[in-house]
PDB file of all heavy atoms in Angstrom:
ATOM      1  N   ILE P  72      58.280  20.821 -44.719  1.00 93.00           N
ATOM      2  CA  ILE P  72      59.054  20.996 -43.483  1.00 93.00           C
ATOM      3  C   ILE P  72      59.910  19.768 -43.205  1.00 93.00           C
ATOM      4  O   ILE P  72      61.059  19.876 -42.760  1.00 93.00           O
ATOM      5  CB  ILE P  72      58.110  21.290 -42.301  1.00 93.00           C
ATOM      6  CG1 ILE P  72      57.464  22.666 -42.474  1.00 93.00           C
ATOM      7  CG2 ILE P  72      58.870  21.229 -40.980  1.00 93.00           C
ATOM      8  CD1 ILE P  72      56.478  23.011 -41.396  1.00 93.00           C
ATOM      9  N   GLY P  76      63.958  19.827 -42.959  1.00 91.00           N
ATOM     10  CA  GLY P  76      64.678  19.354 -41.783  1.00 91.00           C
ATOM     11  C   GLY P  76      65.694  18.274 -42.121  1.00 91.00           C
ATOM     12  O   GLY P  76      66.807  18.259 -41.576  1.00 91.00           O
ATOM     13  N   LEU P  79      68.756  19.957 -43.613  1.00 88.00           N
ATOM     14  CA  LEU P  79      69.540  20.661 -42.592  1.00 88.00           C
ATOM     15  C   LEU P  79      70.331  19.690 -41.720  1.00 88.00           C
ATOM     16  O   LEU P  79      71.488  19.955 -41.373  1.00 88.00           O
ATOM     17  CB  LEU P  79      68.616  21.516 -41.714  1.00 88.00           C
ATOM     18  CG  LEU P  79      68.150  22.848 -42.286  1.00 88.00           C
ATOM     19  CD1 LEU P  79      67.223  23.546 -41.304  1.00 88.00           C
ATOM     20  CD2 LEU P  79      69.348  23.753 -42.593  1.00 88.00           C
ATOM     21  N   GLN P  80      69.718  18.567 -41.368  1.00 88.00           N
ATOM     22  CA  GLN P  80      70.420  17.589 -40.537  1.00 88.00           C
ATOM     23  C   GLN P  80      71.631  17.008 -41.260  1.00 88.00           C
ATOM     24  O   GLN P  80      72.667  16.754 -40.658  1.00 88.00           O
ATOM     25  CB  GLN P  80      69.455  16.476 -40.123  1.00 88.00           C
ATOM     26  CG  GLN P  80      68.438  16.913 -39.087  1.00 88.00           C
ATOM     27  CD  GLN P  80      67.389  15.849 -38.798  1.00 88.00           C
ATOM     28  OE1 GLN P  80      67.572  14.690 -39.114  1.00 88.00           O
ATOM     29  NE2 GLN P  80      66.283  16.267 -38.195  1.00 88.00           N
ATOM     30  N   LEU P  87      70.098  16.900 -34.420  1.00 74.00           N
ATOM     31  CA  LEU P  87      69.097  17.726 -33.754  1.00 74.00           C
ATOM     32  C   LEU P  87      68.781  19.001 -34.533  1.00 74.00           C
ATOM     33  O   LEU P  87      68.087  19.879 -34.040  1.00 74.00           O
ATOM     34  CB  LEU P  87      69.568  18.090 -32.339  1.00 74.00           C
ATOM     35  CG  LEU P  87      69.871  16.903 -31.417  1.00 74.00           C
ATOM     36  CD1 LEU P  87      70.320  17.399 -30.054  1.00 74.00           C
ATOM     37  CD2 LEU P  87      68.660  15.997 -31.291  1.00 74.00           C
ATOM     38  N   ALA P  88      69.310  19.103 -35.756  1.00 77.00           N
ATOM     39  CA  ALA P  88      69.041  20.302 -36.565  1.00 77.00           C
ATOM     40  C   ALA P  88      67.596  20.291 -37.059  1.00 77.00           C
ATOM     41  O   ALA P  88      67.028  19.241 -37.362  1.00 77.00           O
ATOM     42  CB  ALA P  88      70.003  20.362 -37.747  1.00 77.00           C
ATOM     43  N   ASP P  89      67.034  21.491 -37.162  1.00 80.00           N
ATOM     44  CA  ASP P  89      65.629  21.645 -37.544  1.00 80.00           C
ATOM     45  C   ASP P  89      65.430  23.103 -37.935  1.00 80.00           C
ATOM     46  O   ASP P  89      66.067  23.982 -37.356  1.00 80.00           O
ATOM     47  CB  ASP P  89      64.737  21.260 -36.349  1.00 80.00           C
ATOM     48  CG  ASP P  89      63.291  21.647 -36.553  1.00 80.00           C
ATOM     49  OD1 ASP P  89      62.563  20.900 -37.231  1.00 80.00           O
ATOM     50  OD2 ASP P  89      62.883  22.703 -36.028  1.00 80.00           O
ATOM     51  N   PRO P  90      64.575  23.412 -38.921  1.00 81.00           N
ATOM     52  CA  PRO P  90      64.375  24.812 -39.312  1.00 81.00           C
ATOM     53  C   PRO P  90      63.956  25.703 -38.146  1.00 81.00           C
ATOM     54  O   PRO P  90      64.310  26.889 -38.103  1.00 81.00           O
ATOM     55  CB  PRO P  90      63.263  24.733 -40.368  1.00 81.00           C
ATOM     56  CG  PRO P  90      63.367  23.360 -40.921  1.00 81.00           C
ATOM     57  CD  PRO P  90      63.811  22.491 -39.793  1.00 81.00           C
ATOM     58  N   GLY P  91      63.209  25.147 -37.194  1.00 77.00           N
ATOM     59  CA  GLY P  91      62.792  25.939 -36.045  1.00 77.00           C
ATOM     60  C   GLY P  91      63.908  26.194 -35.059  1.00 77.00           C
ATOM     61  O   GLY P  91      64.012  27.279 -34.479  1.00 77.00           O
ATOM     62  N   ILE P  92      64.784  25.208 -34.877  1.00 75.00           N
ATOM     63  CA  ILE P  92      65.869  25.335 -33.905  1.00 75.00           C
ATOM     64  C   ILE P  92      66.974  26.237 -34.441  1.00 75.00           C
ATOM     65  O   ILE P  92      67.587  27.007 -33.693  1.00 75.00           O
ATOM     66  CB  ILE P  92      66.419  23.934 -33.553  1.00 75.00           C
ATOM     67  CG1 ILE P  92      65.340  23.104 -32.855  1.00 75.00           C
ATOM     68  CG2 ILE P  92      67.648  24.045 -32.653  1.00 75.00           C
ATOM     69  CD1 ILE P  92      65.701  21.649 -32.674  1.00 75.00           C
ATOM     70  N   LEU P  93      67.251  26.180 -35.740  1.00 78.00           N
ATOM     71  CA  LEU P  93      68.375  26.919 -36.314  1.00 78.00           C
ATOM     72  C   LEU P  93      68.048  28.363 -36.691  1.00 78.00           C
ATOM     73  O   LEU P  93      68.902  29.060 -37.212  1.00 78.00           O
ATOM     74  CB  LEU P  93      68.903  26.189 -37.557  1.00 78.00           C
ATOM     75  CG  LEU P  93      69.559  24.829 -37.321  1.00 78.00           C
ATOM     76  CD1 LEU P  93      70.219  24.347 -38.590  1.00 78.00           C
ATOM     77  CD2 LEU P  93      70.580  24.890 -36.196  1.00 78.00           C
ATOM     78  N   GLY P  94      66.814  28.803 -36.477  1.00 83.00           N
ATOM     79  CA  GLY P  94      66.502  30.204 -36.719  1.00 83.00           C
ATOM     80  C   GLY P  94      65.853  30.505 -38.057  1.00 83.00           C
ATOM     81  O   GLY P  94      65.499  31.656 -38.320  1.00 83.00           O
ATOM     82  N   ILE P  95      65.677  29.505 -38.919  1.00 85.00           N
ATOM     83  CA  ILE P  95      65.049  29.739 -40.217  1.00 85.00           C
ATOM     84  C   ILE P  95      63.585  30.128 -40.024  1.00 85.00           C
ATOM     85  O   ILE P  95      63.088  31.098 -40.619  1.00 85.00           O
ATOM     86  CB  ILE P  95      65.155  28.496 -41.121  1.00 85.00           C
ATOM     87  CG1 ILE P  95      66.611  28.033 -41.256  1.00 85.00           C
ATOM     88  CG2 ILE P  95      64.539  28.780 -42.484  1.00 85.00           C
ATOM     89  CD1 ILE P  95      67.528  29.054 -41.845  1.00 85.00           C
ATOM     90  N   ASN P  96      62.879  29.371 -39.182  1.00 84.00           N
ATOM     91  CA  ASN P  96      61.467  29.684 -38.927  1.00 84.00           C
ATOM     92  C   ASN P  96      61.300  31.049 -38.272  1.00 84.00           C
ATOM     93  O   ASN P  96      60.370  31.799 -38.597  1.00 84.00           O
ATOM     94  CB  ASN P  96      60.844  28.616 -38.030  1.00 84.00           C
ATOM     95  CG  ASN P  96      60.543  27.335 -38.787  1.00 84.00           C
ATOM     96  OD1 ASN P  96      60.868  27.203 -39.967  1.00 84.00           O
ATOM     97  ND2 ASN P  96      59.937  26.370 -38.120  1.00 84.00           N
ATOM     98  N   ILE P 263      55.684  25.945 -37.116  1.00 84.00           N
ATOM     99  CA  ILE P 263      55.478  24.546 -36.740  1.00 84.00           C
ATOM    100  C   ILE P 263      56.839  23.936 -36.409  1.00 84.00           C
ATOM    101  O   ILE P 263      57.651  23.685 -37.299  1.00 84.00           O
ATOM    102  CB  ILE P 263      54.781  23.764 -37.870  1.00 84.00           C
ATOM    103  CG1 ILE P 263      53.409  24.367 -38.149  1.00 84.00           C
ATOM    104  CG2 ILE P 263      54.638  22.287 -37.490  1.00 84.00           C
ATOM    105  CD1 ILE P 263      52.703  23.765 -39.345  1.00 84.00           C
ATOM    106  N   ALA P 264      57.082  23.708 -35.135  1.00 78.00           N
ATOM    107  CA  ALA P 264      58.378  23.201 -34.681  1.00 78.00           C
ATOM    108  C   ALA P 264      58.358  21.681 -34.546  1.00 78.00           C
ATOM    109  O   ALA P 264      57.292  21.067 -34.489  1.00 78.00           O
ATOM    110  CB  ALA P 264      58.740  23.838 -33.345  1.00 78.00           C
ATOM    111  N   PHE P 265      59.545  21.080 -34.506  1.00 83.00           N
ATOM    112  CA  PHE P 265      59.788  19.663 -34.240  1.00 83.00           C
ATOM    113  C   PHE P 265      59.441  18.731 -35.403  1.00 83.00           C
ATOM    114  O   PHE P 265      59.958  17.619 -35.461  1.00 83.00           O
ATOM    115  CB  PHE P 265      59.049  19.180 -32.972  1.00 83.00           C
ATOM    116  CG  PHE P 265      59.596  19.757 -31.706  1.00 83.00           C
ATOM    117  CD1 PHE P 265      58.864  20.668 -30.971  1.00 83.00           C
ATOM    118  CD2 PHE P 265      60.846  19.391 -31.245  1.00 83.00           C
ATOM    119  CE1 PHE P 265      59.365  21.200 -29.804  1.00 83.00           C
ATOM    120  CE2 PHE P 265      61.359  19.923 -30.074  1.00 83.00           C
ATOM    121  CZ  PHE P 265      60.621  20.830 -29.346  1.00 83.00           C
ATOM    122  N   LEU P 266      58.567  19.147 -36.320  1.00 88.00           N
ATOM    123  CA  LEU P 266      58.210  18.254 -37.426  1.00 88.00           C
ATOM    124  C   LEU P 266      59.431  17.971 -38.298  1.00 88.00           C
ATOM    125  O   LEU P 266      59.654  16.829 -38.722  1.00 88.00           O
ATOM    126  CB  LEU P 266      57.091  18.876 -38.258  1.00 88.00           C
ATOM    127  CG  LEU P 266      56.538  18.003 -39.388  1.00 88.00           C
ATOM    128  CD1 LEU P 266      55.966  16.707 -38.842  1.00 88.00           C
ATOM    129  CD2 LEU P 266      55.461  18.754 -40.166  1.00 88.00           C
ATOM    130  N   GLY P 267      60.226  19.017 -38.560  1.00 88.00           N
ATOM    131  CA  GLY P 267      61.429  18.837 -39.358  1.00 88.00           C
ATOM    132  C   GLY P 267      62.510  18.054 -38.637  1.00 88.00           C
ATOM    133  O   GLY P 267      63.489  17.627 -39.257  1.00 88.00           O
ATOM    134  N   LEU P 268      62.350  17.865 -37.341  1.00 87.00           N
ATOM    135  CA  LEU P 268      63.283  17.056 -36.556  1.00 87.00           C
ATOM    136  C   LEU P 268      62.842  15.604 -36.522  1.00 87.00           C
ATOM    137  O   LEU P 268      63.633  14.681 -36.761  1.00 87.00           O
ATOM    138  CB  LEU P 268      63.374  17.608 -35.129  1.00 87.00           C
ATOM    139  CG  LEU P 268      64.130  16.753 -34.103  1.00 87.00           C
ATOM    140  CD1 LEU P 268      65.616  16.768 -34.391  1.00 87.00           C
ATOM    141  CD2 LEU P 268      63.850  17.237 -32.692  1.00 87.00           C
TER     142      LEU P 268
END
Side-chain angles (χ1 to χ4, degrees):
I72 292 177
L79 281 179
Q80 288 174 17
L87 302 180
D89 169 82
I92 296 170
L93 293 189
I95 306 300
N96 284 4
I263 299 174
F265 291 111
L266 185 60
L268 170 71

